[in-house]
């Protein structure tokens, strides 16, 4: 079973690469950002609360995203593996994910981090904000807040996987296909171990 954590700052290309990876490796894509935007679109209570935080570039509380991931793992018991995209984003989320998987006799295979400069992140997100309708992509101040949240709360998650010898990183500054090839080389190495 392949359980991959795709990691990186906002706009690093996690969602973009996930789409290609699920096709190639037949994995289930679990994006907490997409799940939260789904709740917002449906106008649920959870979505309304999450929107207030997301529109300001802040993280949603750990218990909310952990609950969503737990439900999705239960709903996909026969899956051959998962891509966790945008999750875990705090060390608490990483610890809870390990416990959830352990209770299902499973574990994380590894984390792959996409390395992208702050200037390029800003450029990509502002470009997407022109037609995505995402409030959190349209404004440089909110994007700055998202990068700040990443540096403070999310970057330490890399250490969590480094300590378990499960961390790899790739240069996220090339073309989508170049980055995809670099990610696949790491996954294929894991699969052939
Ligand atoms: P997310 O939805 O997870 O996403 P993201 O950070 O915007 O970006 P991603 O890295 O997936 O970028 P993408 O491929 O789309 O988070 C949104 C918010 O949800 C968070 O701020 C937070 O509030 C909340 N949230 C989500 N998960 C949470 C959690 N676990 N805990 C707490 N809160 C949580 O790429 C961005 C753009 O770049 C696209 O337009 C793409 O086309 C372009 N691009 C991609 N690769 C490129 C390349 N190689 N070259 C040029 N452009 C590229």
């Amino acid at each position: 079973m392949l359980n991959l954590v795709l990691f990186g700052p906002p706009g690093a290309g996690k969602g973009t690469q996930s789409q290609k990876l699920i096709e190639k490796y037949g994995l289930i894509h679990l994006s907490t950002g997409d799940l939260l935007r789904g709740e917002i679109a449906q106008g649920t209570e959870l979505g309304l609360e999450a929107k207030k935080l997301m529109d300001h570039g802040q993280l949603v509380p750990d218990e909310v995203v952990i609950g969503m991931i737990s439900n999705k793992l239960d709903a996909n018991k026969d899956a051959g593996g998962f891509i966790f995209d945008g999750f875990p984003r705090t060390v608490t989320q990483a610890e809870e994910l390990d416990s959830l998987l352990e209770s299902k006799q499973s574990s994380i295979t590894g984390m792959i981090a996409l390395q992208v400069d702050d200037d390029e992140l800003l450029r990509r997100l502002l470009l997407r904000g022109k037609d995505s309708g995402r409030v959190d992509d349209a404004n440089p101040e909110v994007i700055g807040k998202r990068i700040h949240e990443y540096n403070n709360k999310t970057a330490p998650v890399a250490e969590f996987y480094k300590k378990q010898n499960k961390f790899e990183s790739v240069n996220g500054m090339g073309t989508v296909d170049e980055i995809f090839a670099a990610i696949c080389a790491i996954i294929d190495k894991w699969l052939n171990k």
Side-chain angles (χ1 to χ4, degrees):
M1 189 161 181
L2 176 68
N3 288 318
L4 166 68
V5 175
L6 203 51
F7 191 70
K14 304 179 291 286
T16 304
Q17 296 296 331
S18 291
Q19 290 309 324
K20 294 173 74 73
L21 290 166
I22 52 175
E23 218 172 280
K24 176 161 179 175
Y25 294 99
L27 303 168
I28 302 277
H29 181 207
L30 294 184
S31 157
T32 39
D34 287 350
L35 292 172
L36 290 166
R37 282 185 290 276
E39 296 283 340
I40 293 171
Q42 288 170 44
T44 64
E45 201 177 316
L46 189 161
L48 292 175
E49 284 305 311
K51 183 169 168 42
K52 288 183 207 157
L53 295 162
M54 291 168 74
D55 284 357
H56 290 95
Q58 291 169 282
L59 294 184
V60 171
D62 287 336
E63 58 273 22
V64 172
V65 282
I66 291 162
M68 289 192 320
I69 288 287
S70 176
N71 290 341
K72 286 290 171 188
L73 291 177
D74 287 343
N76 290 284
K77 285 201 171 78
D78 299 326
F82 295 91
I83 296 185
F84 297 94
D85 161 9
F87 178 90
R89 254 182 163 93
T90 64
V91 172
T92 301
Q93 291 179 19
E95 288 166 349
E96 288 293 329
L97 179 59
D98 268 5
S99 305
L100 277 174
L101 290 173
E102 203 181 315
S103 71
K104 297 173 198 311
Q105 284 80 48
S106 188
S107 61
I108 290 297
T109 311
M111 162 185 272
I112 299 178
L114 299 170
Q115 310 286 354
V116 178
D117 294 351
D118 285 1
D119 288 351
E120 172 67 5
L121 298 174
L122 183 64
R123 191 192 68 79
R124 288 183 190 178
L125 293 175
L126 286 174
L127 193 67
R128 182 171 65 184
K130 283 185 183 166
D131 49 25
S132 69
R134 276 180 60 170
V135 176
D136 61 343
D137 281 347
N139 174 333
E141 259 176 56
V142 174
I143 294 172
K145 174 72 186 169
R146 288 166 66 189
I147 295 174
H148 181 76
E149 286 273 270
Y150 172 82
N151 288 331
N152 273 344
K153 297 178 184 168
T154 306
V157 177
E159 293 302 317
F160 181 89
Y161 290 100
K162 278 181 193 167
K163 280 188 197 142
Q164 298 186 16
N165 287 322
K166 291 182 177 179
F167 178 87
E168 298 273 356
S169 82
V170 301
N171 180 1
M173 297 283 285
T175 67
V176 169
D177 286 340
E178 282 166 356
I179 298 161
F180 182 61
I183 294 172
C184 291
I186 294 170
I187 294 176
D188 292 342
K189 184 184 74 182
W190 287 338
L191 291 175
N192 291 322
K193 251 185 190 174

